[in-house]
Structure formats: C-alpha cells, structure tokens
Amino acid sequence: MNGDSIERISQERQCQNETEGGILESASAFAQRVLEEIEALAGTTACKAVQLVRLKQWAKEQGCWFDDCSQFGDYFDRGSENEVYLSFDQKEIVKLNDFRYADDNLTSFFERIKIHNKYFDACPYRMIGFAENRDGKVCAVLIQPFIVDARLATKEEIHEEFLRLGFSPEYHGEYYTNGQYDIFDAVDGNVLRDDEGNMFFIDTIIYPSDTGGYDTYHSLSPRSCKSR
C-alpha cells in the first residue's frame, strides 16, 4: 500500500512537471478567473468560499485531487493552518494548508507561496494538488524537504538572515519588510539552522506591503490572539 501511495504522488509530480508553470501556476490562474467573475457579477472580491468549491471541482478534473490523505505518510502535527504528514521514506513533509491566512480570497495565498520560494529557496514549497483535511476543509497539498541535522534558529540568527536578505524589522521585530513584502511568523520555532550556517524557513506568512497585512495577520493568527 505504501508503494502504491508513493507511486501516486510520483505520478502527480510528473503531471506537475509536464504542465506549463506547474499546478501552483495553473491553480492560481484558475482562482484568479473565479475572482474576476465574482467581482464583475457582484462587485466584491470576497469570494474565498466560492473559489474553494470551484478549485475542488477543477482539481478533480485535472487529476490532482487526493481522496486519501493516508497516502501522504504518517500524520505528524497540526499547526495553525497546516495538517502535517511525514512521508513514508522520511524525506519530505507534506502539508495540507487550509488557506487560513488568505483572508477573503486566495490571491494572497498563491502569491505568498511564490515569494516564499523566491527568498527561502533552501526549503521551498512544491504544490501537487488539493485534498480535504481531517476537518473536511479544502486544502492545498504542499511538499517541503524534511530537514534533518538542524536545530532551531535563534531570534538573533533569524534577524541577521533577514538583514542579509535586505529586510528590516518593524514593531520590534514582529515582522520584517523590504518595502515590497512583509514577512510574519518567521520565529524560532519556524526556522532551522544547520552546522554549516544554512537557514531553513519552514513556515512564513507573507503579504505585499501596504495591503493591510499587519491587521490581517493579527486578525487570523492564533499566535497573535493568544498574545493579546
């Protein structure tokens, strides 16, 4: 059964490689079309629920919908937005992202994944499709390498890495910005460092600057709510 599961995921990756721009680009373009349709008809960009329904149908038609989450590996953890599995070969982490931080439409989610991969290419996301998590929510299925032989990075190390990347701290380091993008949640529990000094940003929340990301993040983040 595990062999069948690995083969299924391998086939999905092959599909992704053969699709121009990959599943991430294709799904992003489809969600954008849904957004434009709703905005033209109803004059609103608040269409997240409609996008999710349409994306589920689209994913099934494209052959990138997963019915059985057990094929991803062993259930590992549950974070604020991700249901996490460790692949059977223990080389990858599979995340079912429920779009918590996408607010009222999915544009910011797809943009966030692309920007994460641009700045944090040591631990990139790969999107292989969609599935429902244990709560029955439609999720993006994302894969990252499983980082071994690394420890949690310190706050000071994270700060220095952001400075190296051209970002500066705001609100006493609550988030970092380069004037184009604001990056949240890059705290010590979400960033690893190996013996060679390589930094691995596991989870980041990213919004384009000057789009209200600070208020959106604080309204949706369990971490923020607990600190208040």
Side-chain angles (χ1 to χ4, degrees):
M1 180 176 178
N2 291 357
D4 293 341
S5 300
I6 293 172
E7 177 64 21
R8 168 72 184 277
I9 293 179
S10 176
Q11 290 172 354
E12 296 296 348
R13 289 180 192 159
Q14 183 65 30
C15 174
Q16 179 183 14
N17 292 334
E18 292 175 352
T19 302
E20 184 177 356
I23 290 177
L24 175 63
E25 291 292 345
S26 298
S28 176
F30 180 82
Q32 180 64 28
R33 290 196 295 272
V34 175
L35 169 61
E36 292 170 356
E37 290 174 9
I38 298 300
E39 188 173 14
L41 289 171
T44 179
T45 60
C47 61
K48 181 177 177 180
V50 177
Q51 286 176 310
L52 291 175
V53 171
R54 295 280 299 278
L55 274 170
K56 179 178 180 178
Q57 179 182 2
W58 175 86
K60 289 184 174 182
E61 293 171 352
Q62 298 298 314
C64 57
W65 176 264
F66 295 90
D67 288 310
D68 181 11
C69 293
S70 67
Q71 67 190 284
F72 298 138
D74 297 316
Y75 178 78
F76 187 74
D77 195 9
R78 168 73 211 192
S80 63
E81 61 174 340
N82 292 307
E83 189 172 281
V84 184
Y85 295 79
L86 177 62
S87 65
F88 292 115
D89 61 8
Q90 298 188 344
K91 292 182 178 180
E92 294 176 322
I93 292 291
V94 182
K95 296 179 177 179
L96 273 60
N97 186 294
D98 65 9
F99 304 101
R100 167 189 286 271
Y101 293 103
D103 200 15
D104 64 356
N105 70 71
L106 302 182
T107 301
S108 62
F109 169 81
F110 292 111
E111 179 74 2
R112 163 193 167 189
I113 299 302
K114 297 171 189 177
I115 298 305
H116 175 98
N117 290 349
K118 174 182 177 180
Y119 289 112
F120 309 122
D121 58 358
C123 194
Y125 289 110
R126 286 180 292 147
M127 185 172 176
I128 63 170
F130 295 84
E132 288 185 355
N133 65 12
R134 294 184 175 191
D135 296 327
K137 295 181 179 180
V138 175
C139 297
V141 182
L142 305 171
I143 291 180
Q144 286 181 298
F146 180 48
I147 307 300
V148 296
D149 298 327
R151 59 170 173 80
L152 296 179
T154 66
K155 183 177 180 179
E156 291 74 18
E157 290 167 340
I158 295 169
H159 175 78
E160 289 299 322
E161 181 66 8
F162 270 120
L163 294 182
R164 188 187 70 80
L165 292 171
F167 287 78
S168 58
E170 294 288 339
Y171 290 91
H172 306 289
E174 189 169 354
Y175 71 97
Y176 285 79
T177 185
N178 64 357
Q180 186 176 8
Y181 296 103
D182 301 338
I183 301 182
F184 299 81
D185 221 26
V187 295
D188 52 5
N190 289 336
V191 185
L192 303 177
R193 179 185 172 97
D194 66 15
D195 292 338
E196 298 179 355
N198 298 309
M199 302 284 284
F200 304 93
F201 287 75
I202 307 302
D203 284 313
T204 56
I205 311 298
I206 305 174
Y207 296 103
S209 299
D210 302 321
T211 60
Y214 181 84
D215 291 334
T216 300
Y217 173 77
H218 278 282
S219 69
L220 298 173
S221 171
R223 186 193 303 273
S224 176
C225 293
K226 289 179 180 179
S227 66
R228 291 185 172 184

